[in-house]
Amino acid sequence: PIPIQKRELECAEGNRKTYCFPNSQSNGIKQFAADHNVSVYAFFVGLYYIYLQKLTDQEDLIVGMPVFNRSGKKEKNIVGMLTSTMPFRHSVDVEMTVREFIKDINRELIRCYYHQKYPYDLLVQDLELKKKGYGDLFDACINYYNTNLPNELGSIPAENEEFYNGNQIYSLQLIIREWSKSGGFNLDIDYKIQEYEEKQIEQMYLSFTHLGEQMLQFPDRKLGELELLSEDVRNKLIVEFNATDT
């Protein structure tokens, strides 16, 4: 069964760590998406699901996804924020190849977008989660910003930066940005400090880059054959930390 949260989402003190994917890996992800006719977002969603499956050993997973909720011409012309959150449930079949899994994620995302107008609070109400002793469907969220923002105002160079307010509703939120002038991907990891330590977030990013590199190099490799940790990190955890004096 999917890991439905026992508690409701509550705002708490948070922190943000920002990382930059290597340009070579960023370009590789874009090329993978183009070659397989999938979105860049689908690749990152698949990457996180693979990471989560290996970390928790659970295959039936669910995360939240902010969506524009502007499906019609009228909505697109309205000034304001119409964003809503869409729960996305998907299973990780370790026998599938990377190529098959990302394509499957992409197809399911497209199918789910048709239902993005269904308000999340109404969904929770219809599922009667509180009556069943549950809080929310998810406590992690993935977002992707690929808006083409101006890099200059007139002849004056400009930088686009989002400020983090230090409060966190989700235990974990991943924000992938394609704002840099180099065309590379930036990753913001927002987290509740009562649930994660900074070193855990650092290790999470290292796992993302290691898994991502394997996915790009070996698209026909089965998900179960991908390694969560690099050889250097594994040696440090297994050999150095368990070493005893003789």
Side-chain angles (χ1 to χ4, degrees):
I2 60 175
I4 300 177
Q5 304 305 310
K6 287 290 186 180
R7 64 185 187 280
E8 293 185 47
L9 295 174
E10 295 181 351
C11 189
E13 184 179 356
N15 191 26
R16 166 175 288 180
K17 296 290 291 182
T18 300
Y19 303 92
C20 298
F21 282 92
N23 284 338
S24 59
Q25 193 169 60
S26 296
N27 293 332
I29 293 172
K30 295 177 184 178
Q31 190 61 52
F32 180 98
D35 291 343
H36 297 88
N37 196 29
V38 298
S39 68
V40 168
Y41 186 47
F43 183 92
F44 280 107
V45 171
L47 170 61
Y48 180 67
Y49 268 69
I50 295 170
Y51 165 82
L52 202 58
Q53 187 278 325
K54 291 186 175 297
L55 190 69
T56 65
D57 201 30
Q58 296 185 18
E59 298 180 352
D60 194 358
L61 304 168
I62 185 169
V63 299
M65 297 180 172
V67 289
F68 286 127
N69 202 14
R70 294 174 179 262
S71 57
K73 182 178 180 180
K74 179 180 178 180
E75 290 84 356
K76 291 179 180 178
N77 291 326
I78 296 177
V79 177
M81 188 172 183
L82 302 181
T83 304
S84 61
T85 304
M86 179 184 74
F88 181 72
R89 179 185 182 184
H90 201 78
S91 295
V92 181
D93 183 353
V94 295
E95 292 300 315
M96 294 181 72
T97 66
V98 171
R99 191 194 313 272
E100 293 170 339
F101 182 63
I102 300 302
K103 286 186 175 181
D104 197 42
I105 287 279
N106 194 75
R107 283 192 296 267
E108 188 64 14
L109 280 173
I110 294 173
R111 190 185 71 84
C112 287
Y113 288 148
Y114 286 107
H115 307 285
Q116 63 179 277
K117 283 191 172 184
Y118 193 173
Y120 176 68
D121 57 346
L122 182 59
L123 174 62
V124 171
Q125 179 180 327
D126 291 344
L127 292 174
E128 298 184 331
L129 292 184
K130 292 184 179 180
K131 289 183 179 180
K132 299 174 182 177
Y134 295 107
D136 284 279
L137 293 174
F138 56 87
D139 67 349
C141 191
I142 307 177
N143 203 354
Y144 173 54
Y145 296 165
N146 65 338
T147 308
N148 292 321
L149 300 176
N151 291 318
E152 61 180 32
L153 298 174
S155 59
I156 302 175
E159 292 185 3
N160 301 291
E161 185 174 350
E162 181 185 70
F163 293 96
Y164 181 64
N165 65 11
N167 295 307
Q168 190 65 28
I169 186 68
Y170 303 111
S171 296
L172 186 74
Q173 179 164 322
L174 307 180
I175 304 174
I176 302 100
R177 305 177 190 274
E178 198 176 349
W179 285 0
S180 67
K181 295 181 180 179
S182 65
F185 295 114
N186 293 335
L187 173 66
D188 291 334
I189 303 181
D190 301 343
Y191 61 97
K192 289 183 177 179
I193 60 175
Q194 65 189 29
E195 298 184 30
Y196 291 93
E197 296 181 3
E198 189 172 317
K199 61 182 179 180
Q200 291 177 296
I201 301 300
E202 177 70 25
Q203 183 55 58
M204 185 183 298
Y205 169 71
L206 294 176
S207 295
F208 287 162
T209 56
H210 183 60
L211 282 171
E213 194 63 36
Q214 295 172 79
M215 292 165 67
L216 295 175
Q217 290 186 6
F218 311 105
D220 292 315
R221 180 170 289 182
K222 292 182 179 181
L223 303 185
E225 298 174 354
L226 300 178
E227 296 289 344
L228 181 63
L229 303 175
S230 66
E231 185 174 351
D232 290 341
V233 173
R234 187 185 301 106
N235 287 338
K236 185 175 182 179
L237 292 175
I238 297 177
V239 179
E240 294 182 17
F241 288 176
N242 290 319
T244 56
D245 295 331
T246 57

